[in-house]
């Protein structure tokens, strides 16, 4: 919240949930790096509880749990 981060920062397509491609795109844009899906697959699976998508609220909750 202090960084004014919200779901629109990562869910650019306004789907209401986040998929691996959203995480990759967000990190590449914000950090200026070049990650591929395979680079972040394991991290995303852990954050999404082995699902192919996760809603924003659950995704953020994983960082504060």
């Amino acid at each position: 919240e202090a960084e004014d981060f919200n779901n629109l920062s990562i869910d650019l397509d306004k789907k209401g949930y986040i998929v691996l491609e959203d995480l990759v795109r967000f990190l590449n844009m914000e950090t200026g790096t070049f990650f591929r899906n395979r680079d972040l697959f394991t991290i995303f699976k852990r954050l999404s509880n082995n699902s192919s998508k996760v809603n924003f609220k659950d995704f953020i909750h994983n960082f504060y749990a």
Side-chain angles (χ1 to χ4, degrees), residues 17-31:
Y17 56 87
I18 300 164
V19 294
L20 176 60
E21 290 79 9
D22 295 327
L23 179 63
V24 172
R25 178 178 52 203
F26 173 75
L27 289 176
N28 287 341
M29 288 179 9
E30 293 295 319
T31 63

Side-chain angles (χ1 to χ4, degrees), residues 1-64:
E1 292 177 1
E3 297 293 327
D4 194 31
F5 181 77
N6 59 44
N7 63 328
L8 298 178
S9 300
I10 195 167
D11 183 15
L12 297 177
D13 298 329
K14 298 174 184 65
K15 299 178 297 285
Y17 56 87
I18 300 164
V19 294
L20 176 60
E21 290 79 9
D22 295 327
L23 179 63
V24 172
R25 178 178 52 203
F26 173 75
L27 289 176
N28 287 341
M29 288 179 9
E30 293 295 319
T31 63
T33 57
F34 182 74
F35 290 109
R36 296 180 181 178
N37 288 4
R38 66 178 180 177
D39 300 329
L40 300 173
F41 176 76
T42 305
I43 294 169
F44 182 81
K45 281 298 195 184
R46 184 170 181 167
L47 293 173
S48 67
N49 296 320
N50 288 322
S51 177
S52 63
K53 62 184 180 181
V54 61
N55 71 41
F56 184 73
K57 184 178 178 182
D58 292 340
F59 185 79
I60 293 300
H61 175 73
N62 285 318
F63 287 101
Y64 294 105

